[in-house]
Amino acid sequence: LGAVSLVFGAIMNLDTSNPLYTTGQTWLGIAVTIGYAYFGLSGKNTPKAEPTMDENDQQPDDAVQNMTNEGGVNDTSMSATTSTLEAKFTDEGGTTKVLKTRRELMKDIDTYNEMKEKARTERRFKEAAGYQKCLEQLDKLKQILPTEAELEKQLKEAEEEMNAAADTNNFDAAEKLSETVEKLQEKIKEERNEEETWLGGDSTV
């Protein structure tokens, strides 16, 4: 009956709202469903479309590298301090340099603050805006250049963890922590050497 209704509706070109045409469509839907069930077909077996990535899409490693180049690290934890991240700063002339210590960073911040204030006072506002951008860039680098006090705190924590690992015979962990201790000691030494050669400026951070 369903097949007859469908064929008759198609031949007579009935309106889609006609009950006879609707009955035919319903029958066709049921027949297709039964056919799928009989032959073991299921919508679950249809292949799934995998998302494609354009060749210009940024890879995760690229994103991390960009964050590193811009000094965009979000903590001063031990892992950030002892990592291979570099505190790169690009000045208003396009020259890039790598800052090694917090004191060196603060010296540059003091210098750019003075230049910005002088440019503002002399109404050279375009220059002042450029100096302000440099200051914002330098301020972000504080996140990967801890103060000497922060380094000493991290060193103490690393030494305690190293000793605890050694006491429990976890020598692999103790070895890794020993490397962290050495890196922190080296950074503290760099900070102190920079302090000895830093003339003028406010050393507070």
Side-chain angles (χ1 to χ4, degrees):
L1 178 60
V4 172
S5 298
L6 182 63
V7 172
F8 184 78
I11 294 174
M12 297 302 294
N13 196 23
L14 297 177
D15 188 80
T16 55
S17 60
N18 189 288
L20 191 62
Y21 186 85
T22 304
T23 301
Q25 280 190 322
T26 302
W27 175 86
L28 178 62
I30 294 173
V32 170
T33 302
I34 293 173
Y36 267 83
Y38 180 78
F39 291 106
L41 300 176
S42 172
K44 296 180 181 179
N45 297 328
T46 57
K48 294 182 179 180
E50 295 294 337
T52 59
M53 180 175 289
D54 187 84
E55 62 180 0
N56 293 323
D57 288 347
Q58 188 177 52
Q59 299 295 328
D61 289 346
D62 295 336
V64 173
Q65 183 62 39
N66 288 342
M67 180 183 69
T68 300
N69 291 340
E70 296 171 6
V73 182
N74 296 323
D75 60 51
T76 55
S77 65
M78 192 184 305
S79 61
T81 303
T82 58
S83 69
T84 57
L85 297 177
E86 291 185 326
K88 292 183 178 181
F89 167 64
T90 303
D91 64 20
E92 69 282 7
T95 302
T96 299
K97 69 175 181 178
V98 178
L99 303 176
K100 296 295 185 181
T101 67
R102 179 65 170 259
R103 295 186 184 279
E104 184 183 3
L105 169 64
M106 295 308 300
K107 183 177 180 181
D108 280 357
I109 288 177
D110 287 345
T111 299
Y112 274 94
N113 266 321
E114 291 175 4
M115 292 192 298
K116 184 190 74 172
E117 288 304 312
K118 183 178 180 180
R120 183 184 65 82
T121 302
E122 297 176 356
R123 298 183 180 179
R124 292 181 285 111
F125 298 122
K126 187 174 181 179
E127 289 184 30
Y131 296 144
Q132 178 59 33
K133 289 182 179 180
C134 288
L135 283 167
E136 292 170 359
Q137 186 186 166
L138 288 167
D139 189 64
K140 290 180 181 179
L141 297 182
K142 290 180 180 180
Q143 299 168 356
I144 53 176
L145 289 175
T147 65
E148 184 177 334
E150 290 170 340
L151 289 171
E152 289 175 345
K153 179 181 178 182
Q154 292 172 15
L155 175 61
K156 182 179 179 181
E157 292 173 352
E159 288 175 333
E160 291 175 352
E161 292 179 14
M162 178 185 66
N163 293 332
D167 290 342
T168 57
N169 297 326
N170 190 352
F171 298 118
D172 288 338
E175 178 64 25
K176 292 180 180 179
L177 286 164
S178 177
E179 294 174 0
T180 298
V181 167
E182 290 178 2
K183 290 179 180 179
L184 287 168
Q185 289 173 335
E186 183 63 29
K187 286 183 177 293
I188 291 172
K189 182 179 178 181
E190 290 177 354
E191 285 291 337
R192 290 173 179 170
N193 289 340
E194 182 68 23
E195 181 180 11
E196 294 176 359
T197 58
W198 189 14
L199 302 177
D202 183 5
S203 62
T204 59
V205 293

